[in-house]
Amino acid sequence: MSFVNQSLTNDTANLQYQGILERVLFSTLSTMSCSVFLFINRTLLFTLRSKILFRETSRYILLYNLLCADTVQMAVSQLLYIIAACRITLTYPVCGFLTMLASLVTGISPLTLVVMSLERYVAVCYPLRHTTIITIRNTGVAITVIWAFSSLNILTRVLLLLEFPFEVLDSLQMKEFCSDIALFFGSVYDAYDRAFTCVLFISASVAITSSYIGVLVAARSASTDKAPTHKARNTLLLHLVQLGLSLSSTIYNPLLTALARVLKRIEFVRIQNVFHVFIFIFPRCLSSLIYGIRDQSIRPVLIYNLCCGLKLSCRRQ
């Protein structure tokens, strides 16, 4: 009997050690990859502010806004992941601030993609009116509306957070790891979250798809140079891919909740780590890879700034 108990104890210890080792490995790999992409994003953000061409062109201003949202989303997601991996619990106010910040920038990305798609549609289908419709002022108004709409969503979530029974808590220290699941509960929040997500992404999908169809029609009717039209069409396709990847982050929590009911803990942790990389890190670095490589105006400046940044980092070390 003692031999059996000793064997069970050894198996439990081995599983715990294996879980810790895998957690450290995944945390290290995800943090390293996230650091690399944060460095690329930061360099691209600097690049977009380094020349007058980028600062005074609407599509580059919109790209800067998109990249800011993606960078903040990636940084906050990785921070929450590291905190959970280290088994650290936060206070409710700190967790609330981080989750609200993540929700704010999550809504900004698809809305910015919509405006960027409309800008490409106007450039292809109404080239003579592009300079009068897509101005710096109108672009600034569009970005302001995007942030206002996303802030309204956050305000609504804060009002729903008032339903949380803080008065029954012994302290503000959380007993669970920080996530919106730990903060929000109830049918009202679930219904609002599903409704907001569906309306946002259905509207964004319709707008981008309509722009794509409009560009396709313009491409078929064009009798001269079709290269700009084909380039705009490919850009809109990439916008659809980006939108789909942004949508994947909204199904992260429901998917994990369903998997937690049917999988063992160590298998669940492995899948959660993989989902974190492919749902939160990879989609947020896609913008810098797409525009940094495809855009002929950005590419040489970005490569120059990346090389200078790497040399400076090496000198500091």
Side-chain angles (χ1 to χ4, degrees):
M1 184 68 178
S2 60
F3 175 77
V4 174
N5 291 336
Q6 182 66 29
S7 178
L8 291 175
T9 302
N10 291 337
D11 290 341
T12 303
N14 289 333
L15 288 175
Q16 290 178 349
Y17 176 77
Q18 183 180 2
I20 294 174
L21 187 61
E22 290 184 356
R23 190 166 67 246
V24 171
L25 178 61
F26 274 108
S27 299
T28 303
L29 291 177
S30 63
T31 302
M32 289 177 61
S33 60
C34 184
S35 300
V36 171
F37 288 121
L38 283 175
F39 172 73
I40 296 175
N41 283 11
R42 180 188 67 82
T43 306
L44 183 53
L45 286 171
F46 172 79
T47 300
L48 291 173
R49 303 303 297 172
S50 62
K51 289 184 175 294
I52 298 179
L53 171 66
F54 301 143
R55 295 197 302 266
E56 296 184 355
T57 304
S58 294
R59 69 173 183 271
Y60 294 129
I61 296 174
L62 292 170
L63 175 60
Y64 186 89
N65 187 65
L66 174 65
L67 201 62
C68 282
D70 287 345
T71 303
V72 172
Q73 173 71 16
M74 182 164 54
V76 173
S77 299
Q78 184 63 22
L79 177 61
L80 291 175
Y81 175 79
I82 294 175
I83 290 174
C86 296
R87 298 295 189 264
I88 299 174
T89 57
L90 303 176
T91 60
Y92 282 101
V94 174
C95 180
F97 171 77
L98 292 176
T99 54
M100 291 300 176
L101 180 60
S103 298
L104 174 65
V105 294
T106 299
I108 288 174
S109 295
L111 293 174
T112 305
L113 287 173
V114 170
V115 179
M116 293 175 71
S117 300
L118 294 176
E119 187 273 332
R120 288 293 84 197
Y121 171 79
V122 173
V124 172
C125 299
Y126 303 97
L128 298 180
R129 300 179 58 189
H130 180 264
T131 55
T132 58
I133 297 176
I134 309 298
T135 62
I136 301 299
R137 181 179 179 277
N138 291 341
T139 304
V141 171
I143 292 176
T144 303
V145 171
I146 289 173
W147 282 86
F149 183 81
S150 298
S151 300
L152 182 62
N153 170 46
I154 298 304
L155 178 60
T156 305
R157 293 176 186 269
V158 170
L159 294 177
L160 292 175
L161 185 60
L162 297 178
E163 296 183 359
F164 193 93
F166 289 103
E167 64 277 1
V168 301
L169 297 176
D170 297 331
S171 67
L172 293 178
Q173 186 69 34
M174 300 182 66
K175 297 180 180 179
E176 301 178 358
F177 300 126
C178 178
S179 67
D180 54 353
I181 298 178
L183 284 176
F184 300 99
F185 60 92
S187 58
V188 176
Y189 175 78
D190 290 338
Y192 170 77
D193 187 55
R194 286 195 297 268
F196 177 81
T197 302
C198 290
V199 171
L200 176 63
F201 283 95
I202 289 176
S203 302
S205 300
V206 170
I208 297 176
T209 304
S210 300
S211 301
Y212 178 74
I213 294 174
V215 170
L216 279 181
V217 173
R220 292 182 178 179
S221 60
S223 57
T224 56
D225 186 15
K226 295 185 178 182
T229 306
H230 286 254
K231 186 176 180 180
R233 182 193 62 187
N234 294 333
T235 301
L236 290 173
L237 274 178
L238 290 174
H239 288 344
L240 281 174
V241 173
Q242 288 177 276
L243 182 65
L245 291 173
S246 298
L247 177 62
S248 64
S249 63
T250 63
I251 63 174
Y252 178 76
N253 288 331
L255 187 59
L256 288 183
T257 302
L259 291 175
R261 299 171 182 172
V262 297
L263 296 178
K264 296 180 180 179
R265 179 174 178 80
I266 190 169
E267 295 174 347
F268 173 76
V269 172
R270 290 170 181 170
I271 293 178
Q272 184 180 18
N273 291 330
V274 173
F275 281 0
H276 171 74
V277 173
F278 285 97
I279 290 179
F280 284 105
I281 295 181
F282 177 69
R284 306 305 167 185
C285 66
L286 191 61
S287 298
S288 58
L289 294 178
I290 289 175
Y291 297 99
I293 295 175
R294 291 183 72 246
D295 195 289
Q296 299 295 330
S297 299
I298 294 179
R299 186 194 307 170
V301 185
L302 176 62
I303 293 175
Y304 174 79
N305 289 333
L306 283 173
C307 293
C308 290
L310 290 174
K311 291 180 180 178
L312 184 59
S313 300
C314 293
R315 290 177 181 176
R316 289 178 178 177
Q317 292 176 358

